[in-house]
Amino acid sequence: MVKVDLSGAGSFFTAAGPDYALAGLAHETLSSRSGLGAEFTGWLELPQRVRETELEGILAAASLIRSRSKALVVIGIGGSYLGARGAIELLKPIPGPGDPRVFFVGNGLSPDALGDTLEQLGDADFDVNVISKSGTTLEPAVSFRIFRELLQKKYGAEADAHIFATTDANKGVLKSLAQAHGWTSFVVPDDVGGRFSVLSAVGLLPMAVAGIDIVRVLDAAEAEFKAMDLRSPENPAWQYAAARQHLYGKGYGVEILGCYEPSFRFMAEWWKQLYGESEGKDGKGIFPASVEFTADLHSMGQFIQSGPRMLMESVVRFTQSRRTCPFPVEEENADGLNYLAGRDLADICHVAADAVRDAHVSGGVPNIVIEVPRRDEEGFAALVCFFELACAISGYMSGVNPFNQPGVEAYKKNMFRMLGKPGAV
Ligand code: PA5
């Protein structure tokens, strides 16, 4: 399990402190499937379910793609791509020899971004994993048509064998197309919403293609969900959910998630969607933002330290680095850095993180530390399970349905009408 350290938040709490009793009730509401959106809580069992159903197929598809292609083009938006991208950038920032490159498209409508990907792809052999639960989202659908055409030009009659569709089990345009063309298909389960789907084929197939050990991820995730069923204020998910709701009640309406590993950037994007879409509704919600440390201390540090006091800060810290980097001694010491000589960069980074926490706390920013041992499959699984569970608990504590996203439809309605989609009003 991750460890949550609230010592940098304690001085901002009222005497009563975070409401762990309410966190416990919210946890019970979730596990008894008696709350709003209970029909979308299947993510709690995804690790076991995937092992019993699609794991073999996912591994077989990944090994086929790895053996024949230099690239996988993943087409999806929101929950249909952020988890996989977060995992791959966190765990495999540099592809190993033999790892196909994984490109993410269909997460916007920029012709430049699409063209850049096509240019990078060149004439490399590639496969496509199109991911859309509804099967009707415009952004991925537009990219998919373009990449299908490319596949047809490149592989002719074999094009269909290069398409892997991850979509609803029974309905939607993508499902119908997959059936009609015989594409290898995987399922986004009915009871799992996009932003909670990273431990299904949605996240697992791209991760496996990138060379991530998804069996390790699933094993760790199953153990994590079990461990976090703990009904006590010792549960890190309760601690995080209750602390942020307590601080929200005191006027801290923005949460910045920071990390000292640049490879965490897309995990933070995944987290923003998870919390933003789950909590931001009914006129309520903590606005999720992200920062990359130490880089952003030189851009956002001023605002964090002394701007309006509405920020709470959560920082993910990996206790062990993957690499070592001892800082060299230099006889002349012309740069005056010999006071650091002999120390490892990891140690210097940890000290910097402590210094930043103390500075921000003294500047009026409550600080929550989320500690993870390593940047590996187990660490990734621990973060996913922790953030998902805490998100559901936090959402129920604030009285919203954490599993719907009615607000996302507003722009779609306008866009379809303005683009002239038949039947759009
Ligand atoms: O969390 C969600 O449900 C959404 O963010 C979806 O993942 C996103 O809108 C993409 O939808 P779809 O997978 O249906 O294309």
Side-chain angles (χ1 to χ4, degrees):
M1 279 200 290
V2 306
K3 268 197 215 147
V4 168
D5 176 0
L6 297 179
S7 59
S11 59
F12 300 88
F13 295 158
T14 55
D19 192 343
Y20 291 120
L22 190 59
L25 280 177
H27 196 166
E28 185 51 33
T29 303
L30 174 70
S31 64
S32 60
R33 264 79 173 175
S34 55
L36 293 167
E39 65 280 19
F40 290 109
T41 50
W43 48 274
L44 281 161
E45 285 101 40
L46 269 180
Q48 302 92 296
R49 264 208 241 161
V50 169
R51 201 175 298 109
E52 286 158 17
T53 53
E54 293 197 315
L55 179 59
E56 252 179 61
I58 294 170
L59 290 171
S63 119
L64 176 65
I65 295 167
R66 286 175 63 84
S67 69
R68 72 181 177 190
S69 286
K70 291 271 174 259
L72 173 69
V73 177
V74 176
I75 303 177
I77 195 165
S80 288
Y81 97 105
L82 283 168
R85 187 159 184 183
I88 293 169
E89 296 205 0
L90 184 73
L91 302 179
K92 276 275 183 178
I94 305 174
D99 290 337
R101 282 191 69 182
V102 180
F103 293 102
F104 292 94
V105 301
N107 49 66
L109 290 167
S110 156
D112 293 3
L114 192 78
D116 288 350
T117 304
L118 289 167
E119 196 178 315
Q120 289 182 77
L121 192 59
D123 61 2
D125 279 309
F126 73 101
D127 285 276
V128 165
N129 181 198
V130 55
I131 309 172
S132 178
K133 182 174 181 184
S134 62
T136 56
T137 309
L138 185 71
E139 291 90 334
V142 164
S143 286
F144 186 42
R145 182 184 276 205
I146 292 165
F147 277 90
R148 265 183 84 196
E149 194 181 75
L150 197 65
L151 283 172
Q152 277 151 4
K153 279 194 191 134
K154 194 173 171 68
Y155 297 110
E158 291 303 304
D160 285 330
H162 285 263
I163 298 176
F164 298 81
T166 307
T167 189
D168 190 274
N170 306 301
K171 56 184 187 299
V173 180
L174 190 54
K175 180 68 197 169
S176 317
L177 280 170
Q179 276 172 329
H181 293 275
W183 301 332
T184 303
S185 298
F186 299 100
V187 169
V188 192
D190 283 351
D191 56 359
V192 178
R195 59 189 175 277
F196 287 87
S197 68
V198 61
L199 297 176
S200 74
V202 171
L204 296 173
L205 178 57
M207 283 159 65
V209 171
I212 292 170
D213 186 340
I214 61 167
V215 175
R216 260 174 78 187
V217 169
L218 290 173
D219 287 349
E222 185 174 350
E224 288 290 339
F225 275 135
K226 271 199 194 114
M228 279 195 300
D229 198 35
L230 177 70
R231 306 305 166 99
S232 132
E234 300 297 305
N235 187 325
W238 289 28
Q239 292 168 351
Y240 178 57
R244 54 199 296 289
Q245 284 301 328
H246 184 74
L247 292 167
Y248 178 56
K250 294 194 69 198
Y252 297 93
V254 177
E255 179 181 9
I256 51 174
L257 183 75
C259 184
Y260 287 79
E261 290 297 339
S263 61
F264 190 78
R265 184 171 148 223
F266 264 88
M267 285 299 290
E269 295 300 319
W270 169 82
W271 170 87
K272 282 197 282 198
Q273 184 199 358
L274 184 65
Y275 280 76
E277 230 171 48
S278 300
E279 292 190 319
K281 52 194 73 160
D282 308 339
K284 298 183 227 181
I286 300 167
F287 185 84
S290 61
V291 282
E292 184 184 308
F293 290 154
T294 61
D296 285 344
L297 295 170
H298 298 264
S299 58
M300 300 304 292
Q302 172 61 38
F303 192 109
I304 300 170
Q305 191 67 39
S306 15
R309 300 301 71 191
M310 60 186 184
L311 301 179
M312 62 176 106
E313 175 180 70
S314 300
V315 178
V316 172
R317 287 177 68 168
F318 294 93
T319 46
Q320 292 165 41
S321 298
R322 281 185 179 183
R323 299 178 193 260
T324 54
C325 181
F327 193 67
V329 195
E330 193 189 80
E331 210 162 297
E332 261 183 54
N333 195 25
D335 55 10
L337 292 178
N338 268 358
Y339 72 98
L340 297 174
R343 294 172 84 167
D344 197 276
L345 195 52
D347 169 46
I348 297 169
C349 189
H350 284 304
V351 175
D354 290 343
V356 172
R357 181 198 55 209
D358 293 353
H360 288 177
V361 170
S362 66
V365 180
N367 177 282
I368 300 171
V369 174
I370 297 154
E371 210 175 87
V372 197
R374 277 175 303 276
R375 200 157 60 82
D376 58 9
E377 276 80 350
E378 287 74 21
F380 167 77
L383 283 168
V384 165
C385 297
F386 163 74
F387 277 130
E388 288 185 348
L389 183 64
C391 179
I393 292 176
S394 181
Y396 278 146
M397 287 179 79
S398 76
V400 301
N401 175 351
F403 305 114
N404 65 3
Q405 56 282 333
V408 179
E409 294 311 310
Y411 99 90
K412 290 188 191 169
K413 227 176 133 194
N414 282 350
M415 180 176 67
F416 286 134
R417 188 188 66 248
M418 290 162 81
L419 286 171
K421 182 178 177 178
V425 283

